[in-house]
Amino acid sequence: FDYIDLYLIHWPFAYKPSDDLYPKDSNGSMLYGDTHFLDTWKAMEQLVDRGLARSIGVSNFNCAQLTQVIDNSRIKPAVLQIESHPLLVQDDLVSFAQSKGVSVTAYSPLAQGGMERPGRPTNVLQHSTVLELARKHQATPAQVLLGFQLQRNVSVIPKSSEPPRIAENFKAKQLCLLEEEIQALRALDVGWRSVGKERDFNHPQFPF
């Protein structure tokens, strides 16, 4: 490839360079690098200058961290990628990013990650509110959750390797939920994250 369409900073902190995905010391504590995300951003701006990336953005940044990037950059982030679904709506963060001209993408829009994590709520795809809306609109529960995001002007990246399921997901664009139905889905918000990253909780740049 000659260039990347969109290149993201995945987390607002760095791990120590290592062959291990998540490097730890002998006591099992995480090993972090000392590179600030603003330094990483400046390096990514150079990728755009060189034509190696068309757009750059951030993932898992909070409002304060996103503001830092915007206020200290030549190139504003094109995208903020965050976990979002009816169990974790994140309205404030979505509204803030959009007010700054930053597009928002929802990962885990079906809330299907973290199945093994303790305290997980009932599978949202099986929630009575979602099932009732799916029945009313002759849609699948997944289409209801994807349509919820699309009507908030939030793009979605559901994970699937099955062509029929991918085609089914695309049909969520045809769904038109009423405002009261969107509010009913918002009411399911319990602040639950499928991607908690408790191992990084003590890092000063931990975003959640």
PDB file of all heavy atoms in Angstrom, residues 37-69:
ATOM      1  N   PHE A  37       1.148  11.521  24.254  1.00  0.00           N
ATOM      2  CA  PHE A  37       0.358  11.379  23.029  1.00  0.00           C
ATOM      3  C   PHE A  37       0.469  12.606  22.111  1.00  0.00           C
ATOM      4  O   PHE A  37       0.268  12.488  20.898  1.00  0.00           O
ATOM      5  CB  PHE A  37      -1.108  11.059  23.334  1.00  0.00           C
ATOM      6  CG  PHE A  37      -1.847  12.065  24.164  1.00  0.00           C
ATOM      7  CD1 PHE A  37      -2.307  13.264  23.636  1.00  0.00           C
ATOM      8  CD2 PHE A  37      -2.137  11.795  25.494  1.00  0.00           C
ATOM      9  CE1 PHE A  37      -3.019  14.177  24.385  1.00  0.00           C
ATOM     10  CE2 PHE A  37      -2.853  12.699  26.271  1.00  0.00           C
ATOM     11  CZ  PHE A  37      -3.297  13.901  25.714  1.00  0.00           C
ATOM     12  N   LEU A  38       0.825  13.768  22.660  1.00  0.00           N
ATOM     13  CA  LEU A  38       1.012  14.933  21.795  1.00  0.00           C
ATOM     14  C   LEU A  38       2.244  14.766  20.903  1.00  0.00           C
ATOM     15  O   LEU A  38       2.251  15.218  19.747  1.00  0.00           O
ATOM     16  CB  LEU A  38       1.138  16.208  22.631  1.00  0.00           C
ATOM     17  CG  LEU A  38      -0.141  16.689  23.319  1.00  0.00           C
ATOM     18  CD1 LEU A  38       0.138  17.946  24.128  1.00  0.00           C
ATOM     19  CD2 LEU A  38      -1.262  16.928  22.309  1.00  0.00           C
ATOM     20  N   ASP A  39       3.280  14.106  21.424  1.00  0.00           N
ATOM     21  CA  ASP A  39       4.460  13.827  20.600  1.00  0.00           C
ATOM     22  C   ASP A  39       4.119  12.818  19.503  1.00  0.00           C
ATOM     23  O   ASP A  39       4.581  12.940  18.358  1.00  0.00           O
ATOM     24  CB  ASP A  39       5.602  13.299  21.471  1.00  0.00           C
ATOM     25  CG  ASP A  39       6.108  14.344  22.458  1.00  0.00           C
ATOM     26  OD1 ASP A  39       6.188  15.528  22.074  1.00  0.00           O
ATOM     27  OD2 ASP A  39       6.396  13.985  23.613  1.00  0.00           O
ATOM     28  N   THR A  40       3.314  11.830  19.872  1.00  0.00           N
ATOM     29  CA  THR A  40       2.873  10.865  18.865  1.00  0.00           C
ATOM     30  C   THR A  40       2.041  11.553  17.794  1.00  0.00           C
ATOM     31  O   THR A  40       2.185  11.272  16.600  1.00  0.00           O
ATOM     32  CB  THR A  40       2.050   9.747  19.532  1.00  0.00           C
ATOM     33  OG1 THR A  40       2.838   9.110  20.540  1.00  0.00           O
ATOM     34  CG2 THR A  40       1.607   8.707  18.515  1.00  0.00           C
ATOM     35  N   TRP A  41       1.191  12.483  18.220  1.00  0.00           N
ATOM     36  CA  TRP A  41       0.343  13.189  17.251  1.00  0.00           C
ATOM     37  C   TRP A  41       1.182  13.996  16.261  1.00  0.00           C
ATOM     38  O   TRP A  41       0.893  14.007  15.060  1.00  0.00           O
ATOM     39  CB  TRP A  41      -0.647  14.090  17.970  1.00  0.00           C
ATOM     40  CG  TRP A  41      -1.633  14.689  17.012  1.00  0.00           C
ATOM     41  CD1 TRP A  41      -1.637  15.946  16.488  1.00  0.00           C
ATOM     42  CD2 TRP A  41      -2.729  14.001  16.412  1.00  0.00           C
ATOM     43  NE1 TRP A  41      -2.679  16.099  15.609  1.00  0.00           N
ATOM     44  CE2 TRP A  41      -3.361  14.915  15.542  1.00  0.00           C
ATOM     45  CE3 TRP A  41      -3.240  12.702  16.528  1.00  0.00           C
ATOM     46  CZ2 TRP A  41      -4.486  14.568  14.791  1.00  0.00           C
ATOM     47  CZ3 TRP A  41      -4.358  12.362  15.781  1.00  0.00           C
ATOM     48  CH2 TRP A  41      -4.960  13.288  14.926  1.00  0.00           C
ATOM     49  N   LYS A  42       2.202  14.670  16.756  1.00  0.00           N
ATOM     50  CA  LYS A  42       3.059  15.456  15.857  1.00  0.00           C
ATOM     51  C   LYS A  42       3.739  14.552  14.824  1.00  0.00           C
ATOM     52  O   LYS A  42       3.914  14.937  13.656  1.00  0.00           O
ATOM     53  CB  LYS A  42       4.089  16.233  16.677  1.00  0.00           C
ATOM     54  CG  LYS A  42       3.476  17.331  17.545  1.00  0.00           C
ATOM     55  CD  LYS A  42       4.527  18.121  18.288  1.00  0.00           C
ATOM     56  CE  LYS A  42       3.877  19.115  19.255  1.00  0.00           C
ATOM     57  NZ  LYS A  42       2.937  20.041  18.588  1.00  0.00           N
ATOM     58  N   ALA A  43       4.115  13.358  15.253  1.00  0.00           N
ATOM     59  CA  ALA A  43       4.713  12.408  14.314  1.00  0.00           C
ATOM     60  C   ALA A  43       3.687  11.950  13.275  1.00  0.00           C
ATOM     61  O   ALA A  43       4.022  11.770  12.091  1.00  0.00           O
ATOM     62  CB  ALA A  43       5.276  11.207  15.074  1.00  0.00           C
ATOM     63  N   MET A  44       2.444  11.805  13.708  1.00  0.00           N
ATOM     64  CA  MET A  44       1.400  11.377  12.775  1.00  0.00           C
ATOM     65  C   MET A  44       1.057  12.488  11.791  1.00  0.00           C
ATOM     66  O   MET A  44       0.716  12.215  10.630  1.00  0.00           O
ATOM     67  CB  MET A  44       0.177  10.907  13.551  1.00  0.00           C
ATOM     68  CG  MET A  44       0.433   9.607  14.304  1.00  0.00           C
ATOM     69  SD  MET A  44      -0.936   9.064  15.339  1.00  0.00           S
ATOM     70  CE  MET A  44      -2.172   8.664  14.120  1.00  0.00           C
ATOM     71  N   GLU A  45       1.147  13.734  12.229  1.00  0.00           N
ATOM     72  CA  GLU A  45       0.943  14.845  11.300  1.00  0.00           C
ATOM     73  C   GLU A  45       1.963  14.790  10.166  1.00  0.00           C
ATOM     74  O   GLU A  45       1.643  15.101   9.006  1.00  0.00           O
ATOM     75  CB  GLU A  45       1.054  16.175  12.043  1.00  0.00           C
ATOM     76  CG  GLU A  45      -0.136  16.468  12.958  1.00  0.00           C
ATOM     77  CD  GLU A  45       0.006  17.781  13.692  1.00  0.00           C
ATOM     78  OE1 GLU A  45       1.145  18.114  14.099  1.00  0.00           O
ATOM     79  OE2 GLU A  45      -1.010  18.479  13.871  1.00  0.00           O
ATOM     80  N   GLN A  46       3.166  14.376  10.493  1.00  0.00           N
ATOM     81  CA  GLN A  46       4.203  14.257   9.459  1.00  0.00           C
ATOM     82  C   GLN A  46       3.852  13.165   8.446  1.00  0.00           C
ATOM     83  O   GLN A  46       4.222  13.267   7.269  1.00  0.00           O
ATOM     84  CB  GLN A  46       5.554  13.970  10.110  1.00  0.00           C
ATOM     85  CG  GLN A  46       6.079  15.113  10.972  1.00  0.00           C
ATOM     86  CD  GLN A  46       7.394  14.775  11.652  1.00  0.00           C
ATOM     87  OE1 GLN A  46       8.118  13.881  11.217  1.00  0.00           O
ATOM     88  NE2 GLN A  46       7.691  15.481  12.727  1.00  0.00           N
ATOM     89  N   LEU A  47       3.157  12.133   8.892  1.00  0.00           N
ATOM     90  CA  LEU A  47       2.720  11.088   7.961  1.00  0.00           C
ATOM     91  C   LEU A  47       1.739  11.659   6.938  1.00  0.00           C
ATOM     92  O   LEU A  47       1.762  11.282   5.764  1.00  0.00           O
ATOM     93  CB  LEU A  47       2.075   9.933   8.725  1.00  0.00           C
ATOM     94  CG  LEU A  47       2.975   9.174   9.703  1.00  0.00           C
ATOM     95  CD1 LEU A  47       2.182   8.067  10.384  1.00  0.00           C
ATOM     96  CD2 LEU A  47       4.192   8.595   8.989  1.00  0.00           C
ATOM     97  N   VAL A  48       0.869  12.559   7.414  1.00  0.00           N
ATOM     98  CA  VAL A  48      -0.062  13.212   6.491  1.00  0.00           C
ATOM     99  C   VAL A  48       0.719  14.098   5.520  1.00  0.00           C
ATOM    100  O   VAL A  48       0.474  14.099   4.307  1.00  0.00           O
ATOM    101  CB  VAL A  48      -1.109  14.044   7.260  1.00  0.00           C
ATOM    102  CG1 VAL A  48      -2.018  14.789   6.281  1.00  0.00           C
ATOM    103  CG2 VAL A  48      -1.946  13.151   8.174  1.00  0.00           C
ATOM    104  N   ASP A  49       1.682  14.850   6.055  1.00  0.00           N
ATOM    105  CA  ASP A  49       2.507  15.729   5.207  1.00  0.00           C
ATOM    106  C   ASP A  49       3.210  14.941   4.101  1.00  0.00           C
ATOM    107  O   ASP A  49       3.360  15.435   2.976  1.00  0.00           O
ATOM    108  CB  ASP A  49       3.557  16.452   6.061  1.00  0.00           C
ATOM    109  CG  ASP A  49       2.949  17.422   7.060  1.00  0.00           C
ATOM    110  OD1 ASP A  49       1.795  17.839   6.864  1.00  0.00           O
ATOM    111  OD2 ASP A  49       3.634  17.748   8.058  1.00  0.00           O
ATOM    112  N   ARG A  50       3.619  13.726   4.431  1.00  0.00           N
ATOM    113  CA  ARG A  50       4.364  12.905   3.481  1.00  0.00           C
ATOM    114  C   ARG A  50       3.462  12.071   2.582  1.00  0.00           C
ATOM    115  O   ARG A  50       3.942  11.322   1.733  1.00  0.00           O
ATOM    116  CB  ARG A  50       5.332  11.989   4.240  1.00  0.00           C
ATOM    117  CG  ARG A  50       6.414  12.739   5.000  1.00  0.00           C
ATOM    118  CD  ARG A  50       7.106  11.838   6.006  1.00  0.00           C
ATOM    119  NE  ARG A  50       7.684  10.653   5.374  1.00  0.00           N
ATOM    120  CZ  ARG A  50       8.164   9.607   6.053  1.00  0.00           C
ATOM    121  NH1 ARG A  50       8.132   9.607   7.377  1.00  0.00           N
ATOM    122  NH2 ARG A  50       8.679   8.580   5.400  1.00  0.00           N
ATOM    123  N   GLY A  51       2.158  12.177   2.773  1.00  0.00           N
ATOM    124  CA  GLY A  51       1.225  11.432   1.950  1.00  0.00           C
ATOM    125  C   GLY A  51       1.088   9.975   2.333  1.00  0.00           C
ATOM    126  O   GLY A  51       0.525   9.177   1.571  1.00  0.00           O
ATOM    127  N   LEU A  52       1.558   9.604   3.519  1.00  0.00           N
ATOM    128  CA  LEU A  52       1.483   8.209   3.959  1.00  0.00           C
ATOM    129  C   LEU A  52       0.175   7.892   4.673  1.00  0.00           C
ATOM    130  O   LEU A  52      -0.194   6.726   4.810  1.00  0.00           O
ATOM    131  CB  LEU A  52       2.662   7.896   4.886  1.00  0.00           C
ATOM    132  CG  LEU A  52       4.044   8.026   4.237  1.00  0.00           C
ATOM    133  CD1 LEU A  52       5.137   7.764   5.263  1.00  0.00           C
ATOM    134  CD2 LEU A  52       4.175   7.062   3.057  1.00  0.00           C
ATOM    135  N   ALA A  53      -0.513   8.928   5.140  1.00  0.00           N
ATOM    136  CA  ALA A  53      -1.823   8.760   5.760  1.00  0.00           C
ATOM    137  C   ALA A  53      -2.717   9.898   5.286  1.00  0.00           C
ATOM    138  O   ALA A  53      -2.305  11.062   5.304  1.00  0.00           O
ATOM    139  CB  ALA A  53      -1.726   8.777   7.281  1.00  0.00           C
ATOM    140  N   ARG A  54      -3.912   9.570   4.860  1.00  0.00           N
ATOM    141  CA  ARG A  54      -4.822  10.619   4.393  1.00  0.00           C
ATOM    142  C   ARG A  54      -5.493  11.334   5.556  1.00  0.00           C
ATOM    143  O   ARG A  54      -5.722  12.540   5.500  1.00  0.00           O
ATOM    144  CB  ARG A  54      -5.876  10.019   3.465  1.00  0.00           C
ATOM    145  CG  ARG A  54      -5.324   9.626   2.107  1.00  0.00           C
ATOM    146  CD  ARG A  54      -6.429   9.301   1.133  1.00  0.00           C
ATOM    147  NE  ARG A  54      -5.915   9.140  -0.221  1.00  0.00           N
ATOM    148  CZ  ARG A  54      -6.674   8.849  -1.268  1.00  0.00           C
ATOM    149  NH1 ARG A  54      -7.976   8.676  -1.117  1.00  0.00           N
ATOM    150  NH2 ARG A  54      -6.137   8.732  -2.466  1.00  0.00           N
ATOM    151  N   SER A  55      -5.841  10.575   6.577  1.00  0.00           N
ATOM    152  CA  SER A  55      -6.485  11.152   7.755  1.00  0.00           C
ATOM    153  C   SER A  55      -5.906  10.503   8.997  1.00  0.00           C
ATOM    154  O   SER A  55      -5.451   9.345   8.964  1.00  0.00           O
ATOM    155  CB  SER A  55      -8.006  10.920   7.717  1.00  0.00           C
ATOM    156  OG  SER A  55      -8.597  11.535   6.600  1.00  0.00           O
ATOM    157  N   ILE A  56      -5.923  11.246  10.109  1.00  0.00           N
ATOM    158  CA  ILE A  56      -5.443  10.717  11.385  1.00  0.00           C
ATOM    159  C   ILE A  56      -6.473  11.025  12.462  1.00  0.00           C
ATOM    160  O   ILE A  56      -7.245  11.986  12.358  1.00  0.00           O
ATOM    161  CB  ILE A  56      -4.062  11.297  11.764  1.00  0.00           C
ATOM    162  CG1 ILE A  56      -4.053  12.825  11.660  1.00  0.00           C
ATOM    163  CG2 ILE A  56      -2.972  10.702  10.883  1.00  0.00           C
ATOM    164  CD1 ILE A  56      -2.736  13.471  12.070  1.00  0.00           C
ATOM    165  N   GLY A  57      -6.479  10.193  13.485  1.00  0.00           N
ATOM    166  CA  GLY A  57      -7.454  10.385  14.547  1.00  0.00           C
ATOM    167  C   GLY A  57      -7.004   9.713  15.827  1.00  0.00           C
ATOM    168  O   GLY A  57      -5.854   9.262  15.943  1.00  0.00           O
ATOM    169  N   VAL A  58      -7.918   9.646  16.787  1.00  0.00           N
ATOM    170  CA  VAL A  58      -7.607   9.084  18.094  1.00  0.00           C
ATOM    171  C   VAL A  58      -8.699   8.106  18.510  1.00  0.00           C
ATOM    172  O   VAL A  58      -9.824   8.158  18.014  1.00  0.00           O
ATOM    173  CB  VAL A  58      -7.452  10.187  19.165  1.00  0.00           C
ATOM    174  CG1 VAL A  58      -6.249  11.074  18.858  1.00  0.00           C
ATOM    175  CG2 VAL A  58      -8.723  11.022  19.292  1.00  0.00           C
ATOM    176  N   SER A  59      -8.349   7.238  19.433  1.00  0.00           N
ATOM    177  CA  SER A  59      -9.298   6.253  19.954  1.00  0.00           C
ATOM    178  C   SER A  59      -9.155   6.181  21.471  1.00  0.00           C
ATOM    179  O   SER A  59      -8.042   6.266  22.005  1.00  0.00           O
ATOM    180  CB  SER A  59      -9.005   4.878  19.336  1.00  0.00           C
ATOM    181  OG  SER A  59      -9.911   3.902  19.795  1.00  0.00           O
ATOM    182  N   ASN A  60     -10.285   6.072  22.146  1.00  0.00           N
ATOM    183  CA  ASN A  60     -10.309   5.948  23.609  1.00  0.00           C
ATOM    184  C   ASN A  60      -9.756   7.192  24.319  1.00  0.00           C
ATOM    185  O   ASN A  60      -9.208   7.080  25.411  1.00  0.00           O
ATOM    186  CB  ASN A  60      -9.538   4.693  24.056  1.00  0.00           C
ATOM    187  CG  ASN A  60     -10.145   3.420  23.520  1.00  0.00           C
ATOM    188  OD1 ASN A  60     -11.320   3.136  23.761  1.00  0.00           O
ATOM    189  ND2 ASN A  60      -9.365   2.660  22.759  1.00  0.00           N
ATOM    190  N   PHE A  61      -9.910   8.349  23.726  1.00  0.00           N
ATOM    191  CA  PHE A  61      -9.543   9.613  24.366  1.00  0.00           C
ATOM    192  C   PHE A  61     -10.781  10.204  25.023  1.00  0.00           C
ATOM    193  O   PHE A  61     -11.892  10.077  24.497  1.00  0.00           O
ATOM    194  CB  PHE A  61      -8.995  10.603  23.342  1.00  0.00           C
ATOM    195  CG  PHE A  61      -7.538  10.426  22.997  1.00  0.00           C
ATOM    196  CD1 PHE A  61      -7.011   9.169  22.717  1.00  0.00           C
ATOM    197  CD2 PHE A  61      -6.697  11.522  22.937  1.00  0.00           C
ATOM    198  CE1 PHE A  61      -5.677   9.002  22.385  1.00  0.00           C
ATOM    199  CE2 PHE A  61      -5.345  11.374  22.611  1.00  0.00           C
ATOM    200  CZ  PHE A  61      -4.839  10.111  22.340  1.00  0.00           C
ATOM    201  N   ASN A  62     -10.606  10.866  26.170  1.00  0.00           N
ATOM    202  CA  ASN A  62     -11.717  11.568  26.789  1.00  0.00           C
ATOM    203  C   ASN A  62     -11.757  13.016  26.314  1.00  0.00           C
ATOM    204  O   ASN A  62     -10.926  13.439  25.491  1.00  0.00           O
ATOM    205  CB  ASN A  62     -11.651  11.464  28.322  1.00  0.00           C
ATOM    206  CG  ASN A  62     -10.366  12.031  28.893  1.00  0.00           C
ATOM    207  OD1 ASN A  62      -9.805  12.994  28.372  1.00  0.00           O
ATOM    208  ND2 ASN A  62      -9.884  11.426  29.985  1.00  0.00           N
ATOM    209  N   CYS A  63     -12.702  13.799  26.826  1.00  0.00           N
ATOM    210  CA  CYS A  63     -12.870  15.183  26.361  1.00  0.00           C
ATOM    211  C   CYS A  63     -11.609  16.010  26.583  1.00  0.00           C
ATOM    212  O   CYS A  63     -11.186  16.774  25.697  1.00  0.00           O
ATOM    213  CB  CYS A  63     -14.050  15.842  27.071  1.00  0.00           C
ATOM    214  SG  CYS A  63     -15.670  15.216  26.573  1.00  0.00           S
ATOM    215  N   ALA A  64     -11.009  15.887  27.759  1.00  0.00           N
ATOM    216  CA  ALA A  64      -9.823  16.687  28.078  1.00  0.00           C
ATOM    217  C   ALA A  64      -8.664  16.317  27.159  1.00  0.00           C
ATOM    218  O   ALA A  64      -7.930  17.198  26.676  1.00  0.00           O
ATOM    219  CB  ALA A  64      -9.430  16.499  29.539  1.00  0.00           C
ATOM    220  N   GLN A  65      -8.486  15.027  26.908  1.00  0.00           N
ATOM    221  CA  GLN A  65      -7.383  14.589  26.051  1.00  0.00           C
ATOM    222  C   GLN A  65      -7.611  14.997  24.600  1.00  0.00           C
ATOM    223  O   GLN A  65      -6.676  15.419  23.911  1.00  0.00           O
ATOM    224  CB  GLN A  65      -7.218  13.073  26.179  1.00  0.00           C
ATOM    225  CG  GLN A  65      -6.727  12.654  27.555  1.00  0.00           C
ATOM    226  CD  GLN A  65      -6.957  11.181  27.842  1.00  0.00           C
ATOM    227  OE1 GLN A  65      -7.823  10.543  27.235  1.00  0.00           O
ATOM    228  NE2 GLN A  65      -6.197  10.631  28.779  1.00  0.00           N
ATOM    229  N   LEU A  66      -8.847  14.903  24.145  1.00  0.00           N
ATOM    230  CA  LEU A  66      -9.163  15.326  22.791  1.00  0.00           C
ATOM    231  C   LEU A  66      -8.909  16.833  22.645  1.00  0.00           C
ATOM    232  O   LEU A  66      -8.369  17.293  21.628  1.00  0.00           O
ATOM    233  CB  LEU A  66     -10.616  14.998  22.452  1.00  0.00           C
ATOM    234  CG  LEU A  66     -11.097  15.390  21.055  1.00  0.00           C
ATOM    235  CD1 LEU A  66     -10.265  14.704  19.969  1.00  0.00           C
ATOM    236  CD2 LEU A  66     -12.578  15.053  20.876  1.00  0.00           C
ATOM    237  N   THR A  67      -9.270  17.601  23.668  1.00  0.00           N
ATOM    238  CA  THR A  67      -9.038  19.039  23.646  1.00  0.00           C
ATOM    239  C   THR A  67      -7.551  19.354  23.554  1.00  0.00           C
ATOM    240  O   THR A  67      -7.132  20.261  22.810  1.00  0.00           O
ATOM    241  CB  THR A  67      -9.628  19.703  24.899  1.00  0.00           C
ATOM    242  OG1 THR A  67     -11.044  19.496  24.915  1.00  0.00           O
ATOM    243  CG2 THR A  67      -9.343  21.195  24.924  1.00  0.00           C
ATOM    244  N   GLN A  68      -6.734  18.600  24.300  1.00  0.00           N
ATOM    245  CA  GLN A  68      -5.290  18.810  24.244  1.00  0.00           C
ATOM    246  C   GLN A  68      -4.759  18.632  22.833  1.00  0.00           C
ATOM    247  O   GLN A  68      -3.922  19.410  22.369  1.00  0.00           O
ATOM    248  CB  GLN A  68      -4.574  17.832  25.187  1.00  0.00           C
ATOM    249  CG  GLN A  68      -4.532  18.251  26.635  1.00  0.00           C
ATOM    250  CD  GLN A  68      -3.638  17.318  27.432  1.00  0.00           C
ATOM    251  OE1 GLN A  68      -4.076  16.287  27.937  1.00  0.00           O
ATOM    252  NE2 GLN A  68      -2.378  17.687  27.546  1.00  0.00           N
ATOM    253  N   VAL A  69      -5.237  17.598  22.160  1.00  0.00           N
ATOM    254  CA  VAL A  69      -4.768  17.351  20.792  1.00  0.00           C
ATOM    255  C   VAL A  69      -5.217  18.482  19.872  1.00  0.00           C
ATOM    256  O   VAL A  69      -4.417  19.022  19.092  1.00  0.00           O
ATOM    257  CB  VAL A  69      -5.282  15.990  20.269  1.00  0.00           C
ATOM    258  CG1 VAL A  69      -4.879  15.798  18.804  1.00  0.00           C
ATOM    259  CG2 VAL A  69      -4.722  14.848  21.117  1.00  0.00           C
TER     260      VAL A  69
END
